[in-house]
Amino acid sequence: MVDLVWLIPALPLAGFVLLVLAGRRMGEPFAGWLATAMVAASFAVSVIVFLGLRNEPGHVFTQTLFEWIPAGDFRVDVGIYLDALSMTMVLFVTGVAALIHLYSIGYMHGDPRFPKFFLYLNLFVFSMLVLVLGDNLVLTFLGWEGVGACSYFLISFWFEDEANASAGKKAFITNRVGDWGFMIGIFATFFAFGSVTYARFLPLAPGLAATTATFIVLMLFVGAIGKSAQIPLYIWLPDAMAGPTPVSALIHAATMVTAGVYVLCRVNPLIASAYDWVPSVIAWVGVGTALFAATIATSQYDIKKVLAYSTISQIGYMFLAVGVGAYWAAIFHMVTHAFFKALLFLGAGSFIHGMHGEQDMRWMGALRKLMPVTSVTFIIGWLAIAGVPPFSGFWSKDEILTYALAHNPGLYAVGLVAALLTAYYMSRQVFMVLYGDARWSASSEAEAEAKARVASAGAGEAEVSAADGQPAGTVTEDAASRFPEGFRPHESPWTMTVPLVVLAVLAAIGGVLNLPFPDSLHVLEHWLEPVFVLGQPAELTYSDLSIVGLLVVSTVVALAGIGIAAVVFLKGRIDARRVEPAVLQNAWYVDSSIAAFMGGPGYELADGTATADRLVVDGAVNGIGRATRWTAARARYLQSGFVRAYALMVAVGAVLLGAWVLTKVAAW
Amino acid sequence: MGNDLSTAYLSLSAVLFAVGAFGLLVRRNPLVMVMCVELMLNAVNLTFVTFGRMLDDVTGQVIVFFVLVVAAAEVVIGLAIVVAVSRRRPGATADDLRVLRG
């Protein structure tokens, strides 16, 4: 049964090829159904392979498909390395991706490039599966670049809009910075081990010099920072929601951003061989990102941007888990995050769909009754990410925090604050969208109130919006001019609500994968254990009682966050403007600082480099060319075409040669 | 064969070579120039034979035959070119044929 593993990436690839060849002729909705069927079949095969893998010794299965790059000592095969880690990844990637495909059929209805969208989606899933299943770093890098390219295509899918096109470019270029680190890491691995195949070099990792291991890990970490959107390379992810919402769900939940965490988990023996400050760096970058992104998420108005910063924050938790050696906790959170973040993004997409493309939460509200299915599922996703027991996010986040406390109380404290903010901003989103006044309605009696609210908010936000590059008037116009006459949000079609329901169930019960006790319920941990044998994973020395204590603390923190949000946004006790400072609305001015730097000193630097290039490099190259041409222009006069002139030259040459020989003979 | 006689042969050869080279440089008629080249080649042939006799070695004579063959071939091609050129142009003066100039 395990032999079928090659089918897992092959099916989405087949879907991609079919859609390239005949997608246009298939049209809507058949192209979408084909793509969905391919990924769903891939998921089905994954389940079969999973059942087979449980019987394999050590839960490892390798398969070499063909030789790819044989070059001297260097050799790269296209092969599959299937162990507990990649199996887990494959299962949730194909499963969640299949649901996202199904959802897209409804969401992309009526789009002129409908087949092309599914073509990219299939290629995206294929690339991710190559990344996860590849048996060597180079093959992983191939998938790594594949998801990068697909994210570029999909983020700028509606490229007619300038902002979308540049968001795609931003994602692509930011990722190149990370890829530089990843490539250096691959080269260093080859120099250190003479191989880039996981099965060959990972067992050798414990014997590696600490300096070499540190270098490799840090370089791979740079790549992971870029792909998984951590400080300082997170800037592409908030813009990545410019693409269609299913794409955001796919990037944020199931594919691209998890790649960095996956790679670090994969090379965990190397992390164990590195200096002991390296895991701390990873942990602090992760928890720092978690807190930083959470602060920004508290003050965003775009429904998808809140979720985008939330993803950055949650991935930060996964890096924290990797840093403290709790690798399975990182994977556990990755899986539950895939469930609830896909659910939240698809739910947000459903709201946007129902609101005819409106993404600004200030214009939503009271959608609870009009979109019941989306609302109920969204609430489940909210409780899961906020960390309310017994939903899945609570268990995975608490597991990470427990290990963080065992490692360093500072990490735990920062992580707890980020958890509080997470509960707060997600509740804020839910209260703004699902409850309160119907601010989209021009006819209701709530209109006057909404107007007053918007106007009062407008005074404080006018300059903010202007600084943000948006027209300052956006928030002060009234609902009547923004929405058409008789506008009413509506529930989405079944292709969109079914995935929501499935994901809601998973988000609710996902915690059973790894409940804290008794020990026999650590299903995921025991399943993943063989992968992390060499990686010196963290051990917990707490008693069950103190673990219960930590669970209570987490619950209290989550409820506190929800409570604060309720006071501000449900009861209106505190003016929302006071808790949403401009600095947070503008994401700490990071983007504008980068833009200012690149427009000023950065531009000068690039300009100087260009000048140096023109004068020195081009000057040398062109100088050689010019010298050659000058010499040739002089030399051409020698070629007169007169035969006798040539003969004279020969004669003179012969005489000179003869004279030279004679002087030699005379000297001798 | 006495040394003085060898000196005479070599001197004659040098004179013939100089005459040929001078003719090649001075004359404009390609036919005469070809004849001058032949003269130079034969001057060289003479030295080969002379040295062959002096050193008591037949190699010199053998090389002469090779030179004669090559010279014959060269003359055939040269004359063919001259004929071809004179058919297309009013004359075949060497200085008029300078299409290969740089």
Side-chain angles (χ1 to χ4, degrees), chain A residues 174 181 261 288 329 482 510 531 583:
Chain A
T174 313
V261 183
R482 195 167 174 95
V531 183
V583 65

Side-chain angles (χ1 to χ4, degrees), chain A residues 71-239:
Chain A
D73 293 341
F74 184 73
R75 179 190 144 105
V76 178
D77 293 338
V78 173
I80 287 174
Y81 185 74
L82 189 72
D83 63 355
L85 175 60
S86 43
M87 191 71 246
T88 313
M89 296 286 294
V90 163
L91 280 171
F92 87 80
V93 166
T94 53
V96 173
L99 291 171
I100 292 172
H101 273 68
L102 176 62
Y103 175 94
S104 307
I105 295 174
Y107 191 84
M108 297 304 285
H109 172 69
D111 194 281
R113 287 192 296 271
F114 185 88
K116 188 173 261 183
F117 181 77
F118 283 92
L119 177 159
Y120 289 149
L121 278 193
N122 263 357
L123 187 63
F124 207 138
V125 174
F126 166 71
S127 303
M128 188 65 195
L129 291 172
V130 168
L131 195 166
V132 171
L133 287 171
D135 77 341
N136 59 68
L137 276 170
V138 176
L139 202 55
T140 297
F141 188 67
L142 188 74
W144 184 274
E145 289 302 306
V147 291
C150 289
S151 71
Y152 168 68
F153 295 143
L154 284 169
I155 291 167
S156 48
F157 185 71
W158 290 319
F159 55 79
E160 294 90 344
D161 190 347
E162 176 71 34
N164 293 359
S166 52
K169 277 186 272 181
K170 190 174 178 182
F172 196 75
I173 292 168
T174 313
N175 268 294
R176 294 287 77 66
V177 179
D179 292 347
W180 163 83
F182 195 81
M183 283 168 74
I184 303 277
I186 295 174
F187 300 150
T189 307
F190 179 71
F191 278 114
F193 296 106
S195 172
V196 291
T197 309
Y198 296 126
R200 291 224 193 100
F201 80 80
L202 286 179
L204 301 175
L208 194 63
T211 316
T212 318
T214 302
F215 180 73
I216 296 174
V217 169
L218 285 182
M219 282 299 140
L220 293 178
F221 183 50
V222 169
I225 283 177
K227 198 61 74 183
S228 294
Q230 298 293 290
I231 290 174
L233 296 178
Y234 70 90
I235 48 172
W236 65 270
L237 196 61
D239 287 22

Side-chain angles (χ1 to χ4, degrees), chain B residues 40-82:
Chain B
M40 290 161 73
L41 286 170
N42 278 321
V44 172
N45 281 345
L46 189 57
T47 56
F48 272 125
V49 173
T50 310
F51 283 128
R53 290 292 290 175
M54 276 170 67
L55 301 171
D56 217 9
D57 187 348
V58 289
T59 316
Q61 273 94 333
V62 173
I63 288 178
V64 167
F65 282 102
F66 282 107
V67 174
L68 286 176
V69 169
V70 173
E74 172 233 304
V75 166
V76 169
I77 292 175
L79 286 178
I81 291 173
V82 170

Side-chain angles (χ1 to χ4, degrees), chain A residues 264-281:
Chain A
L264 286 186
C265 286
R266 174 57 78 207
V267 300
N268 67 84
L270 286 178
I271 300 179
S273 309
Y275 290 122
D276 51 5
W277 51 263
V278 173
S280 300
V281 168

Side-chain angles (χ1 to χ4, degrees), chain A residues 55 96 196 257 259 278 318 420 438:
Chain A
N55 300 326
V96 173
V196 291
V257 292
V278 173
M318 296 174 207
L420 179 77

Side-chain angles (χ1 to χ4, degrees), chain A residues 393-633:
Chain A
F394 170 72
W395 303 108
S396 54
K397 195 188 289 179
D398 188 70
E399 174 118 344
I400 292 174
L401 289 175
T402 308
Y403 280 97
L405 180 59
H407 195 80
N408 183 341
L411 291 171
Y412 177 73
V414 179
L416 213 53
V417 175
L420 179 77
L421 290 174
T422 306
Y424 167 77
Y425 68 70
M426 285 311 299
S427 311
R428 168 181 178 268
Q429 180 169 45
V430 167
F431 296 151
M432 281 179 92
V433 174
L434 296 182
Y435 294 87
D437 311 316
R439 293 186 291 276
W440 38 267
S441 169
S443 56
S444 76
E445 55 184 342
E447 185 205 6
E449 199 187 333
K451 246 184 183 172
R453 197 166 163 165
V454 160
S456 67
E461 280 149 18
E463 57 178 331
V464 169
S465 305
D468 208 11
Q470 289 165 353
T474 327
V475 284
T476 49
E477 65 180 319
D478 61 10
S481 62
R482 195 167 174 95
F483 298 106
E485 187 70 29
F487 170 79
R488 239 181 123 67
H490 59 83
E491 184 58 282
S492 301
W494 72 269
T495 47
M496 290 168 70
T497 50
V498 166
L500 288 176
V501 172
V502 175
L503 283 169
V505 171
L506 290 172
I509 63 164
V512 299
L513 283 173
N514 209 31
L515 293 174
F517 40 71
D519 192 52
S520 58
L521 284 180
H522 295 212
V523 181
L524 194 68
E525 181 179 340
H526 292 310
W527 163 248
L528 288 171
E529 222 159 28
V531 183
F532 303 122
V533 170
L534 292 169
Q536 293 171 357
E539 291 283 347
L540 274 190
T541 50
Y542 299 132
S543 65
D544 283 359
L545 199 64
S546 45
I547 291 181
V548 172
L550 292 174
L551 290 173
V552 172
V553 170
S554 292
T555 313
V556 169
V557 164
L559 293 177
I562 294 173
I564 297 169
V567 167
V568 178
F569 294 97
L570 219 48
K571 306 282 178 201
R573 295 275 166 74
I574 301 174
D575 191 350
R577 277 179 295 145
R578 288 177 52 199
V579 291
E580 284 159 20
V583 65
L584 294 184
Q585 285 177 16
N586 288 298
W588 296 102
Y589 296 108
V590 171
D591 266 1
S592 44
S593 305
I594 291 175
F597 175 79
M598 282 305 170
Y603 185 85
E604 306 254 309
L605 186 70
D607 206 40
T609 314
T611 309
D613 181 59
R614 199 169 58 243
L615 294 183
V616 179
V617 180
D618 290 5
V621 172
N622 290 336
I624 291 170
R626 212 173 293 129
T628 310
R629 280 174 59 183
W630 186 87
T631 317

